[in-house]
Protein backbone atom coordinates (compact mmCIF):
# COMPACT_ATOMS: atom_id res chain seq x y z
CA UNK A 1 0.00 0.00 0.00
CA UNK A 2 1.23 3.46 -0.89
CA UNK A 3 -0.50 5.18 2.04
CA UNK A 4 -0.80 2.84 5.00
CA UNK A 5 -3.46 4.98 6.70
CA UNK A 6 -3.89 2.84 9.78
CA UNK A 7 -3.12 3.33 13.43
CA UNK A 8 0.06 1.35 12.84
CA UNK A 9 1.87 3.83 10.66
CA UNK A 10 4.78 5.50 12.41
CA UNK A 11 3.53 9.01 11.57
CA UNK A 12 0.88 10.71 13.67
CA UNK A 13 -0.99 13.34 11.70
CA UNK A 14 -1.56 15.24 14.95
CA UNK A 15 0.21 14.67 18.26
CA UNK A 16 -1.45 14.84 21.69
CA UNK A 17 0.43 18.09 22.38
CA UNK A 18 -0.85 19.64 19.15
CA UNK A 19 -4.36 18.45 19.90
CA UNK A 20 -4.12 20.12 23.32
CA UNK A 21 -2.82 23.29 21.70
CA UNK A 22 -5.94 23.38 19.51
CA UNK A 23 -8.22 23.10 22.53
CA UNK A 24 -6.32 25.71 24.55
CA UNK A 25 -6.31 28.11 21.59
CA UNK A 26 -10.08 27.84 21.25
CA UNK A 27 -10.53 28.28 25.00
CA UNK A 28 -8.38 31.39 24.90
CA UNK A 29 -10.56 32.92 22.19
CA UNK A 30 -13.80 31.98 23.94
CA UNK A 31 -12.51 33.60 27.11
CA UNK A 32 -11.95 36.81 25.14
CA UNK A 33 -15.58 36.72 24.08
CA UNK A 34 -16.76 36.36 27.68
CA UNK A 35 -14.55 39.27 28.67
CA UNK A 36 -15.80 41.58 25.94
CA UNK A 37 -19.52 41.00 26.70
CA UNK A 38 -21.05 43.67 28.93
CA UNK A 39 -22.09 41.94 32.18
CA UNK A 40 -25.81 42.52 31.72
CA UNK A 41 -25.92 41.30 28.09
CA UNK A 42 -23.73 38.31 28.89
CA UNK A 43 -26.48 36.99 31.16
CA UNK A 44 -29.55 38.40 29.43
CA UNK A 45 -29.12 39.13 25.73
CA UNK A 46 -30.89 36.64 23.48
CA UNK A 47 -31.84 36.24 19.81
CA UNK A 48 -34.67 34.04 18.57
CA UNK A 49 -35.36 32.56 21.99
CA UNK A 50 -31.84 31.16 22.32
CA UNK A 51 -29.91 31.05 25.59
CA UNK A 52 -27.83 34.02 26.72
CA UNK A 53 -24.13 33.61 25.94
CA UNK A 54 -23.34 33.03 29.64
CA UNK A 55 -25.43 29.85 29.55
CA UNK A 56 -23.63 28.63 26.45
CA UNK A 57 -20.25 29.44 27.98
CA UNK A 58 -21.24 27.62 31.18
CA UNK A 59 -22.11 24.54 29.12
CA UNK A 60 -18.74 24.63 27.35
CA UNK A 61 -17.00 25.20 30.68
CA UNK A 62 -18.87 22.44 32.49
CA UNK A 63 -18.31 19.82 29.80
CA UNK A 64 -14.59 20.64 29.64
CA UNK A 65 -14.10 20.78 33.40
CA UNK A 66 -15.97 17.60 34.25
CA UNK A 67 -14.89 15.84 31.06
CA UNK A 68 -11.12 16.25 31.29
CA UNK A 69 -11.02 14.78 34.79
CA UNK A 70 -13.54 12.06 34.02
CA UNK A 71 -11.42 10.76 31.15
CA UNK A 72 -8.90 9.81 33.85
CA UNK A 73 -11.09 9.16 36.90
CA UNK A 74 -14.30 7.87 35.29
CA UNK A 75 -16.36 10.24 37.47
CA UNK A 76 -18.80 12.16 35.24
CA UNK A 77 -20.85 13.74 38.03
CA UNK A 78 -21.23 17.52 37.90
CA UNK A 79 -19.93 19.66 40.72
CA UNK A 80 -22.14 22.60 41.82
CA UNK A 81 -19.66 25.07 40.25
CA UNK A 82 -19.70 23.34 36.87
CA UNK A 83 -23.37 22.35 36.72
CA UNK A 84 -24.62 24.49 33.85
CA UNK A 85 -28.31 23.68 34.23
CA UNK A 86 -29.85 27.19 34.35
CA UNK A 87 -31.99 26.21 37.36
CA UNK A 88 -29.06 24.85 39.34
CA UNK A 89 -26.09 26.97 38.19
CA UNK A 90 -24.45 28.92 41.01
CA UNK A 91 -22.38 31.08 38.62
CA UNK A 92 -24.00 34.51 38.61
CA UNK A 93 -21.33 36.97 37.50
CA UNK A 94 -18.80 37.39 34.71
CA UNK A 95 -15.99 37.45 37.27
CA UNK A 96 -17.05 34.06 38.69
CA UNK A 97 -17.32 32.63 35.20
CA UNK A 98 -13.83 33.84 34.27
CA UNK A 99 -12.27 32.47 37.47
CA UNK A 100 -13.78 29.06 36.77
CA UNK A 101 -12.65 29.31 33.14
CA UNK A 102 -9.02 29.66 34.25
CA UNK A 103 -9.42 26.92 36.84
CA UNK A 104 -10.63 24.49 34.19
CA UNK A 105 -7.73 25.49 31.91
CA UNK A 106 -5.39 24.51 34.74
CA UNK A 107 -7.22 21.19 35.11
CA UNK A 108 -6.89 20.53 31.38
CA UNK A 109 -3.16 21.24 31.56
CA UNK A 110 -2.82 18.93 34.56
CA UNK A 111 -4.89 16.01 33.30
CA UNK A 112 -4.11 16.03 29.58
CA UNK A 113 -0.63 14.43 29.91
CA UNK A 114 -2.26 11.53 31.76
CA UNK A 115 -4.20 10.51 28.64
CA UNK A 116 -1.99 7.99 26.88
CA UNK A 117 -1.90 7.89 23.06
CA UNK A 118 -3.64 4.50 23.24
CA UNK A 119 -6.44 5.96 25.35
CA UNK A 120 -7.45 8.44 22.64
CA UNK A 121 -8.62 5.39 20.69
CA UNK A 122 -10.63 3.89 23.56
CA UNK A 123 -14.37 4.29 23.79
CA UNK A 124 -15.95 6.04 26.76
CA UNK A 125 -19.53 6.75 27.74
CA UNK A 126 -19.46 10.43 28.61
CA UNK A 127 -21.94 11.83 31.12
CA UNK A 128 -23.63 8.44 31.25
CA UNK A 129 -24.98 8.69 27.72
CA UNK A 130 -22.60 9.71 24.92
CA UNK A 131 -20.49 6.84 23.63
CA UNK A 132 -17.47 7.55 21.43
CA UNK A 133 -13.71 7.11 21.21
CA UNK A 134 -11.94 9.69 23.36
CA UNK A 135 -10.34 11.52 20.40
CA UNK A 136 -13.80 11.96 18.92
CA UNK A 137 -15.35 12.98 22.23
CA UNK A 138 -12.80 15.74 22.77
CA UNK A 139 -13.23 16.96 19.18
CA UNK A 140 -16.96 17.09 19.84
CA UNK A 141 -16.41 19.22 22.93
CA UNK A 142 -14.15 21.60 21.00
CA UNK A 143 -16.58 21.75 18.08
CA UNK A 144 -19.44 22.48 20.46
CA UNK A 145 -17.38 25.35 21.86
CA UNK A 146 -16.69 26.76 18.38
CA UNK A 147 -20.39 26.40 17.50
CA UNK A 148 -21.62 28.34 20.51
CA UNK A 149 -18.83 30.87 20.30
CA UNK A 150 -19.90 31.58 16.72
CA UNK A 151 -23.34 32.29 18.11
CA UNK A 152 -21.75 34.64 20.64
CA UNK A 153 -20.21 36.54 17.72
CA UNK A 154 -23.71 37.23 16.35
CA UNK A 155 -24.91 38.33 19.79
CA UNK A 156 -22.01 40.78 20.05
CA UNK A 157 -22.51 42.14 16.53
CA UNK A 158 -26.22 42.58 17.24
CA UNK A 159 -25.19 44.71 20.24
CA UNK A 160 -22.88 46.80 18.05
CA UNK A 161 -19.76 45.29 19.65
CA UNK A 162 -16.83 44.14 17.50
CA UNK A 163 -15.78 40.59 18.51
CA UNK A 164 -12.15 39.45 18.63
CA UNK A 165 -10.79 38.02 15.36
CA UNK A 166 -11.60 34.35 14.77
CA UNK A 167 -7.93 33.47 14.34
CA UNK A 168 -6.85 35.26 17.53
CA UNK A 169 -6.14 32.28 19.80
CA UNK A 170 -3.07 33.67 21.56
CA UNK B 1 9.03 8.11 29.09
CA UNK B 2 5.67 6.77 30.08
CA UNK B 3 3.77 8.60 27.32
CA UNK B 4 5.96 8.96 24.25
CA UNK B 5 3.78 11.69 22.74
CA UNK B 6 5.80 12.23 19.60
CA UNK B 7 5.19 11.66 15.94
CA UNK B 8 7.17 8.45 16.23
CA UNK B 9 4.83 6.55 18.50
CA UNK B 10 3.11 3.66 16.77
CA UNK B 11 -0.36 4.90 17.80
CA UNK B 12 -2.14 7.61 15.85
CA UNK B 13 -4.71 9.41 17.99
CA UNK B 14 -6.72 10.08 14.84
CA UNK B 15 -6.26 8.43 11.46
CA UNK B 16 -6.56 10.22 8.10
CA UNK B 17 -9.82 8.34 7.47
CA UNK B 18 -11.27 9.50 10.80
CA UNK B 19 -10.12 13.05 10.13
CA UNK B 20 -11.91 12.92 6.76
CA UNK B 21 -15.03 11.54 8.46
CA UNK B 22 -15.04 14.59 10.77
CA UNK B 23 -14.88 16.97 7.82
CA UNK B 24 -17.55 15.15 5.83
CA UNK B 25 -19.84 15.01 8.87
CA UNK B 26 -19.58 18.76 9.34
CA UNK B 27 -20.15 19.37 5.64
CA UNK B 28 -23.26 17.19 5.77
CA UNK B 29 -24.70 19.26 8.62
CA UNK B 30 -23.82 22.58 6.96
CA UNK B 31 -25.56 21.39 3.80
CA UNK B 32 -28.70 20.74 5.87
CA UNK B 33 -28.58 24.33 7.06
CA UNK B 34 -28.35 25.65 3.50
CA UNK B 35 -31.29 23.45 2.54
CA UNK B 36 -33.50 24.61 5.41
CA UNK B 37 -32.97 28.35 4.77
CA UNK B 38 -35.72 29.95 2.70
CA UNK B 39 -34.12 31.12 -0.57
CA UNK B 40 -34.69 34.82 0.05
CA UNK B 41 -33.35 34.80 3.63
CA UNK B 42 -30.38 32.65 2.64
CA UNK B 43 -29.15 35.48 0.43
CA UNK B 44 -30.50 38.49 2.32
CA UNK B 45 -31.09 37.92 6.03
CA UNK B 46 -28.52 39.60 8.24
CA UNK B 47 -28.00 40.41 11.93
CA UNK B 48 -25.76 43.21 13.20
CA UNK B 49 -24.41 44.03 9.75
CA UNK B 50 -23.01 40.52 9.25
CA UNK B 51 -23.02 38.72 5.90
CA UNK B 52 -26.03 36.68 4.79
CA UNK B 53 -25.56 32.95 5.41
CA UNK B 54 -25.14 32.31 1.67
CA UNK B 55 -21.96 34.42 1.71
CA UNK B 56 -20.62 32.50 4.71
CA UNK B 57 -21.46 29.17 3.07
CA UNK B 58 -19.78 30.29 -0.16
CA UNK B 59 -16.64 31.10 1.81
CA UNK B 60 -16.64 27.67 3.46
CA UNK B 61 -17.31 26.05 0.08
CA UNK B 62 -14.63 28.00 -1.75
CA UNK B 63 -11.92 27.35 0.82
CA UNK B 64 -12.72 23.63 0.88
CA UNK B 65 -13.00 23.28 -2.90
CA UNK B 66 -9.85 25.19 -3.80
CA UNK B 67 -7.98 24.00 -0.71
CA UNK B 68 -8.38 20.24 -1.07
CA UNK B 69 -7.04 20.27 -4.64
CA UNK B 70 -4.30 22.78 -3.88
CA UNK B 71 -2.88 20.56 -1.14
CA UNK B 72 -2.03 18.15 -3.96
CA UNK B 73 -1.49 20.45 -6.93
CA UNK B 74 -0.16 23.60 -5.27
CA UNK B 75 -2.60 25.72 -7.27
CA UNK B 76 -4.48 28.07 -4.88
CA UNK B 77 -6.17 30.21 -7.53
CA UNK B 78 -9.94 30.58 -7.23
CA UNK B 79 -12.18 29.38 -10.03
CA UNK B 80 -15.16 31.61 -10.94
CA UNK B 81 -17.56 29.07 -9.37
CA UNK B 82 -15.70 28.99 -6.05
CA UNK B 83 -14.72 32.66 -5.81
CA UNK B 84 -16.76 33.81 -2.82
CA UNK B 85 -15.97 37.50 -3.10
CA UNK B 86 -19.48 39.05 -3.04
CA UNK B 87 -18.63 41.30 -6.00
CA UNK B 88 -17.33 38.43 -8.11
CA UNK B 89 -19.39 35.41 -7.00
CA UNK B 90 -21.45 33.87 -9.80
CA UNK B 91 -23.51 31.71 -7.41
CA UNK B 92 -26.93 33.32 -7.21
CA UNK B 93 -29.35 30.58 -6.11
CA UNK B 94 -29.68 27.95 -3.40
CA UNK B 95 -29.80 25.24 -6.08
CA UNK B 96 -26.49 26.38 -7.57
CA UNK B 97 -24.92 26.51 -4.14
CA UNK B 98 -26.08 22.98 -3.31
CA UNK B 99 -24.82 21.55 -6.61
CA UNK B 100 -21.40 23.06 -5.97
CA UNK B 101 -21.51 21.79 -2.38
CA UNK B 102 -21.88 18.20 -3.60
CA UNK B 103 -19.24 18.70 -6.29
CA UNK B 104 -16.72 19.82 -3.68
CA UNK B 105 -17.62 16.85 -1.49
CA UNK B 106 -16.74 14.60 -4.44
CA UNK B 107 -13.45 16.46 -4.86
CA UNK B 108 -12.65 15.99 -1.18
CA UNK B 109 -13.35 12.26 -1.46
CA UNK B 110 -11.16 12.05 -4.57
CA UNK B 111 -8.20 14.09 -3.34
CA UNK B 112 -8.06 13.16 0.37
CA UNK B 113 -6.47 9.71 -0.17
CA UNK B 114 -3.64 11.41 -2.06
CA UNK B 115 -2.52 13.25 1.10
CA UNK B 116 0.08 10.98 2.67
CA UNK B 117 0.33 10.75 6.48
CA UNK B 118 3.70 12.52 6.24
CA UNK B 119 2.16 15.38 4.29
CA UNK B 120 -0.21 16.28 7.13
CA UNK B 121 2.91 17.40 9.00
CA UNK B 122 4.27 19.52 6.15
CA UNK B 123 3.86 23.26 6.08
CA UNK B 124 1.99 24.94 3.23
CA UNK B 125 1.24 28.55 2.42
CA UNK B 126 -2.48 28.50 1.68
CA UNK B 127 -3.97 31.06 -0.67
CA UNK B 128 -0.59 32.76 -0.88
CA UNK B 129 -0.73 33.99 2.72
CA UNK B 130 -1.64 31.51 5.48
CA UNK B 131 1.29 29.35 6.57
CA UNK B 132 0.67 26.24 8.67
CA UNK B 133 1.14 22.48 8.74
CA UNK B 134 -1.52 20.79 6.63
CA UNK B 135 -3.25 19.08 9.60
CA UNK B 136 -3.64 22.49 11.21
CA UNK B 137 -4.78 24.14 8.00
CA UNK B 138 -7.55 21.59 7.48
CA UNK B 139 -8.63 21.88 11.12
CA UNK B 140 -8.81 25.63 10.62
CA UNK B 141 -11.05 25.18 7.59
CA UNK B 142 -13.34 22.85 9.53
CA UNK B 143 -13.39 25.17 12.54
CA UNK B 144 -14.22 28.11 10.29
CA UNK B 145 -17.14 26.09 8.93
CA UNK B 146 -18.42 25.26 12.43
CA UNK B 147 -18.03 28.92 13.43
CA UNK B 148 -20.09 30.27 10.53
CA UNK B 149 -22.60 27.45 10.74
CA UNK B 150 -23.18 28.38 14.39
CA UNK B 151 -23.96 31.87 13.16
CA UNK B 152 -26.40 30.37 10.65
CA UNK B 153 -28.18 28.72 13.59
CA UNK B 154 -28.82 32.14 15.11
CA UNK B 155 -30.06 33.48 11.77
CA UNK B 156 -32.50 30.56 11.49
CA UNK B 157 -33.72 30.95 15.08
CA UNK B 158 -34.21 34.68 14.54
CA UNK B 159 -36.45 33.74 11.58
CA UNK B 160 -38.44 31.33 13.76
CA UNK B 161 -36.99 28.28 11.96
CA UNK B 162 -35.76 25.28 13.96
CA UNK B 163 -32.24 24.30 12.79
CA UNK B 164 -31.08 20.66 12.48
CA UNK B 165 -29.54 19.19 15.64
CA UNK B 166 -25.84 19.99 16.12
CA UNK B 167 -24.93 16.32 16.39
CA UNK B 168 -26.82 15.36 13.21
CA UNK B 169 -23.95 14.76 10.81
CA UNK B 170 -25.39 11.78 8.98
Amino acid sequence: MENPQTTETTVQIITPEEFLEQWLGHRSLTKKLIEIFPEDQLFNHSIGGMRPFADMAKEVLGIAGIGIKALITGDWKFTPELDYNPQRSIVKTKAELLILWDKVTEDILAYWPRITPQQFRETVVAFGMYEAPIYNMILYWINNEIHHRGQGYVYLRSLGIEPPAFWDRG
Side-chain angles (χ1 to χ4, degrees), chain A:
Chain A
M1 279 173 69
E2 195 186 344
N3 300 344
Q5 296 184 336
T6 74
T7 56
E8 285 165 28
T9 170
T10 51
V11 176
Q12 287 196 87
I13 58 176
I14 181 169
T15 67
E17 290 86 349
E18 288 160 347
F19 196 0
L20 172 61
E21 193 186 346
Q22 294 283 325
W23 197 5
L24 295 177
H26 284 297
R27 288 181 51 77
S28 167
L29 177 56
T30 307
K31 184 182 170 188
K32 285 177 193 165
L33 246 77
I34 298 169
E35 286 170 333
I36 209 171
F37 259 95
E39 178 103 26
D40 177 37
Q41 279 90 351
L42 178 62
F43 286 88
N44 296 300
H45 185 62
S46 163
I47 294 177
M50 296 176 75
R51 292 174 290 174
F53 188 64
D55 284 6
M56 300 181 190
K58 285 186 205 175
E59 176 189 300
V60 168
L61 175 74
I63 290 172
I66 299 300
I68 187 66
K69 288 189 184 178
L71 293 179
I72 303 298
T73 65
D75 179 7
W76 294 92
K77 281 192 298 298
F78 276 97
T79 60
E81 277 182 332
L82 294 178
D83 188 341
Y84 57 86
N85 179 300
Q87 263 67 54
R88 290 190 300 266
S89 173
I90 59 171
V91 180
K92 304 292 183 194
T93 67
K94 178 156 85 164
E96 290 167 358
L97 185 56
L98 287 169
I99 288 167
L100 284 170
W101 198 268
D102 289 342
K103 208 173 146 199
V104 164
T105 301
E106 283 170 31
D107 287 341
I108 292 172
L109 287 167
Y111 281 82
W112 188 273
R114 296 177 60 182
I115 310 172
T116 65
Q118 287 76 8
Q119 265 178 296
F120 283 99
R121 316 283 325 154
E122 289 169 14
T123 295
V124 283
V125 180
F127 300 101
M129 53 179 139
Y130 307 106
E131 188 172 346
I134 287 181
Y135 84 84
N136 198 357
M137 190 69 71
I138 298 170
L139 277 176
Y140 192 89
W141 298 344
I142 297 173
N143 293 343
N144 186 54
E145 173 166 0
I146 300 168
H147 172 73
H148 287 308
R149 190 181 59 213
Q151 299 177 335
Y153 273 68
V154 185
Y155 282 21
L156 285 174
R157 288 282 184 193
S158 77
L159 294 165
I161 298 167
E162 167 131 5
F166 176 65
W167 43 260
D168 181 11
R169 303 195 199 157

